Amino acid sequence: MLSRLTVSDFRNHEDALIVPAHPFVVLTGDNGAGKTNILEAVSLLAPGRGLRGAPLREMARQDGGGGFGIAAQVDGVTLGTGIVADAPDRRQVRVGGTASTATALPEHLAVLWLTPAMDRLFTEAPGGRRRFLDRLTLALHPGHATHSARYEAAMRARTKLLTDDRPADPSWLAALEAQMDEHGAALAAARQDTVTALGLALMDQPDGPFARPLLSIQGWRADGEPLVDQLREGRRRDAAAGRALSGPHRSDLSVIHAEKGQPAALCSTGEQKALLLSIIIAHAALVAQRSGRPPVLLLDEVAAHLDPARRAALFDRLAATGGQVWMTGTESELFSALGAATRLHVEQGHIRPA
């Protein structure tokens, strides 16, 4: 859990300090007050660009000095990240006061989030679902971020060679394809392990008001011809397409509503939200079981469209994960059934006890 969070010059927060006293942290306030900005700050304590996926320079406070800083205490270790005005597109990371990289963060903290924008997850392009699956995978396999970064780097270098006007060096292409094969196999194996384990965890979830999903990986799979052979044979095709057409970056997460036997993309918005909640809650329990360290969950406006019975059921399920849960809402009454929590009110970038 985060025992302390400090934020400076981030979005509309000039200076904020939160010291949670309970596993639940509830942020309430009007729309635009800065509630989601706090969740975004916590999400940056994981690899990637956070829950909004925005460019780093856009996260700096408009009236600030051009940089921002985020720091948190997690099990006695200080995790920090931010940017400086001279390099607004370069993210800096510190672990225990020592300069590090974002790929080291999952060794200390697992973070997962659910935002209103993710209501479109099942109807948008496969890339969004892959990123969602990779966040799930990262909490179970901390090395997943390193394999992903190296796979992407090798793939970009290969594409550049193939689309260059000059003839590509076959030996250099072969070396890059071998790297894609090595790291791609690790990516695919970790994703498959996550989907398989999560499917079993979902079967153990009690019946209740949330839909039960069936998960599988579709599209490109690692159980066919070795990737290195696919890449070598597909060089001419990939050069014409301007991208690699084989590999784990072409996979997709399939979600089926178990009771209806219906793809999530064809379900109602409410059912899609329920499917996502089921996945996240089961995943939190799975991470806690495997590592003894449940993930921090960031749930933005999650209670707004649930009736009182479903809200109470959600809070009970979240409490059972044993992890820290940060939630936002416009009205404090939405969390009246929650019980003990660190309740904060956010107003124009200022935070006070609710």
Side-chain angles (χ1 to χ4, degrees):
M1 297 186 186
L2 277 69
S3 57
R4 180 185 178 93
L5 175 72
T6 58
V7 175
S8 60
D9 283 335
F10 183 79
R11 296 290 189 181
N12 69 331
H13 293 275
E14 180 179 1
D15 189 17
L17 169 64
I18 298 176
V19 183
H22 301 281
F24 283 95
V25 181
V26 176
L27 303 163
T28 56
D30 294 338
N31 292 327
K35 306 183 300 295
T36 304
N37 295 340
I38 294 297
L39 299 193
E40 184 181 27
V42 178
S43 73
L44 288 172
L45 298 172
R49 293 191 298 177
L51 58 78
R52 285 190 175 104
L56 291 170
R57 62 172 64 222
E58 292 184 6
M59 302 178 192
R61 190 169 63 91
Q62 289 186 357
D63 297 330
F68 68 81
I70 301 164
Q73 284 288 121
V74 181
D75 295 333
V77 178
T78 301
L79 305 180
T81 189
I83 61 171
V84 295
D86 293 340
D89 298 314
R90 181 188 173 199
R91 181 179 175 187
Q92 299 184 10
V93 174
R94 287 186 174 272
V95 176
T98 303
S100 186
T101 63
T103 56
L105 294 171
E107 297 288 345
H108 303 274
L109 183 68
V111 186
L112 191 66
W113 53 84
L114 181 60
T115 69
M118 291 172 64
D119 290 348
R120 302 187 297 272
L121 184 72
F122 299 123
T123 57
E124 66 180 6
R129 290 184 292 278
R130 277 195 304 273
R131 288 189 292 273
F132 176 65
L133 175 57
D134 283 337
R135 287 196 296 274
L136 298 175
T137 303
L138 190 59
L140 295 170
H141 299 271
H144 191 68
T146 299
H147 287 296
S148 179
R150 292 178 180 174
Y151 177 85
E152 293 286 342
M155 182 169 64
R156 287 194 300 269
R158 175 181 180 269
T159 299
K160 187 175 185 302
L161 280 178
L162 288 175
T163 55
D164 200 343
D165 292 336
R166 295 170 297 179
D169 181 351
S171 60
W172 183 230
L173 273 176
L176 291 171
E177 289 164 355
Q179 291 180 37
M180 289 179 64
D181 182 74
E182 175 189 354
H183 298 294
L187 286 179
R191 286 174 178 169
Q192 187 59 59
D193 174 72
T194 299
V195 167
T196 301
L198 192 50
L200 295 174
L202 284 163
M203 293 178 62
D204 292 336
Q205 291 291 301
D207 294 331
F210 301 108
R212 189 187 301 276
L214 299 175
L215 309 179
S216 63
I217 295 178
Q218 302 296 323
W220 186 90
R221 293 175 61 89
D223 51 5
E225 182 183 13
L227 177 58
V228 67
D229 294 337
Q230 296 179 43
L231 294 171
R232 183 177 60 253
E233 296 165 3
R235 289 175 183 174
R236 182 173 299 178
R237 177 197 62 183
D238 293 350
R243 62 188 187 279
L245 299 178
S246 298
H249 65 286
R250 304 284 290 180
S251 299
D252 193 4
L253 175 65
S254 170
V255 180
I256 303 293
H257 189 304
E259 184 178 354
K260 290 187 171 184
Q262 186 175 15
L266 302 180
C267 293
S268 69
T269 302
E271 288 172 329
Q272 291 177 359
K273 174 80 80 173
L275 290 168
L276 276 172
L277 284 169
S278 291
I279 292 171
I280 287 176
I281 293 170
H283 176 265
L286 174 62
V287 174
Q289 178 186 10
R290 281 199 178 186
S291 68
R293 187 186 65 197
V296 171
L297 301 181
L298 311 175
L299 307 179
D300 192 20
E301 301 289 350
V302 71
H305 302 294
L306 297 177
D307 57 54
R310 282 182 169 81
R311 284 202 299 271
L314 172 63
F315 298 155
D316 289 343
R317 292 273 189 95
L318 292 171
T321 67
Q324 192 176 55
V325 183
W326 297 59
M327 293 185 288
T328 67
T330 55
E331 302 173 10
S332 59
E333 291 77 11
L334 293 171
F335 307 97
S336 58
L338 186 57
T342 298
R343 300 172 186 268
L344 304 169
H345 184 74
V346 184
E347 184 174 355
Q348 297 305 314
H350 298 283
I351 300 175
R352 59 174 174 80

